[in-house]
Amino acid sequence: MLLGVVFFLFAFAEKRNSTRILSDVNLHFTNNENLYLTEEAVNKLLIQNEVRVKSIGKEALDLNRVETLLEAHEMVENAEVFLTVDGKLGAEITQRKPLARVLASAPFYLDRHGFKMPLSEYYSARVPLVTGVREDQLKEVYPLMDFITKDEFLTRHVTGLHRLPNGKYQIHLRQLDFVLMFGEVKDIELKFKNFKAFYQKALKDKKLDAYEKVDLQFGDQVVCTKK
């Protein structure tokens, strides 16, 4: 009789667990950032795709499908979906991160992987402005923008890039009056190393305001044009 009772309770618990209704969705945004996508937008996406988590049993919910739906969202870089033992759906979402805002007829972001990213209706990122660049030239500008973003000094000073018709780039700097000619996207590390050395020397000599153009296109040299 004791064994019979144990088997009955086990079968009852298993049946109840398999038919338990999902009662809640717990969303977690990595780095605590839900800047470009809100919980409300995520829930709306699930509802629109007939993932009604409050009315679907645990066994009927395809977690891979939910994950695919979330990752298909234009603001989502990665999504990990799971189900807790108490019948709750959990999702850890990593949003895409913009490096720059590209000014075009329809503006968009350049994300940290070098792809086009739409603007968000919820948040406007404070990133450098890129002008003169077409969508098919993103692969060209990406290495330059990626290097700038990963460098603390450059991140603090660079406000924008402009691509000239000849494929060379100008860099706009915060609170500095001169034009920084970078040239073609090559020798990035060397050019910025030279620029940092020039900047420190000119800052020490109090001559940063004496130039109208600083050119990094000549190897180890920094060529300056005075006002």
Side-chain angles (χ1 to χ4, degrees):
M1 289 180 62
L2 181 59
L3 288 175
V5 170
V6 171
F7 279 115
F8 173 77
L9 292 175
F10 178 79
F12 176 77
E14 182 68 19
K15 177 65 176 179
R16 182 178 180 183
N17 189 55
S18 65
T19 58
R20 181 178 292 168
I21 301 302
L22 298 172
S23 58
D24 199 5
V25 182
N26 290 332
L27 296 178
H28 173 68
F29 292 91
T30 58
N31 299 322
N32 295 319
E33 291 184 350
N34 59 327
L35 304 177
Y36 312 103
L37 183 66
T38 64
E39 292 187 19
E40 180 181 356
V42 173
N43 288 327
K44 183 178 179 181
L45 174 66
L46 297 177
I47 292 173
Q48 288 176 342
N49 287 274
E50 299 183 351
V51 182
R52 299 182 179 86
V53 296
K54 292 187 177 181
S55 61
I56 299 179
K58 290 174 63 178
E59 299 301 323
L61 183 63
D62 186 347
L63 297 182
N64 288 330
R65 175 172 176 259
V66 178
E67 205 168 87
T68 300
L69 287 172
L70 292 176
E71 290 181 342
H73 193 283
E74 56 193 7
M75 294 297 176
V76 175
E77 181 177 301
N78 184 64
E80 297 289 340
V81 179
F82 53 90
L83 198 61
T84 63
V85 294
D86 57 351
K88 293 183 179 180
L89 181 69
E92 186 172 87
I93 297 175
T94 300
Q95 297 182 90
R96 297 173 69 184
K97 183 177 180 180
L99 298 185
R101 179 170 178 153
V102 181
L103 187 61
S105 55
F108 58 91
Y109 290 126
L110 171 69
D111 79 359
R112 61 179 170 181
H113 297 296
F115 299 110
K116 179 181 178 182
M117 173 182 171
L119 302 184
S120 170
E121 61 180 299
Y122 304 108
Y123 183 80
S124 180
R126 297 183 62 181
V127 291
L129 183 67
V130 174
T131 56
V133 171
R134 302 190 308 268
E135 187 175 342
D136 61 351
Q137 295 168 334
L138 294 182
K139 289 184 178 180
E140 176 188 273
V141 69
Y142 170 69
L144 179 56
M145 200 64 248
D146 182 56
F147 189 95
I148 291 172
T149 305
K150 293 177 180 177
D151 186 284
E152 183 179 354
F153 173 85
L154 298 174
T155 300
R156 190 166 64 249
H157 287 88
V158 174
T159 60
L161 308 177
H162 176 67
R163 186 184 190 277
L164 300 172
N166 60 6
K168 297 184 178 182
Y169 284 82
Q170 294 178 338
I171 297 179
H172 302 291
L173 303 168
R174 182 174 287 107
Q175 297 180 344
L176 292 174
D177 198 29
F178 56 79
V179 174
L180 182 63
M181 289 296 303
F182 187 86
E184 296 179 358
V185 183
K186 61 182 182 180
D187 303 322
I188 298 175
E189 185 174 358
L190 174 62
K191 289 179 180 179
F192 280 130
K193 179 181 178 181
N194 293 339
F195 172 66
K196 290 178 183 179
F198 156 79
Y199 180 90
Q200 296 300 331
K201 182 66 167 60
L203 179 64
K204 181 179 179 180
D205 296 340
K206 298 181 180 180
K207 292 184 177 180
L208 283 173
D209 295 330
Y211 307 104
E212 66 176 2
K213 184 172 74 170
V214 175
D215 201 325
L216 306 177
Q217 300 180 82
F218 303 98
D220 288 329
Q221 301 181 42
V222 176
V223 179
C224 303
T225 304
K226 290 187 176 181
K227 293 181 179 178

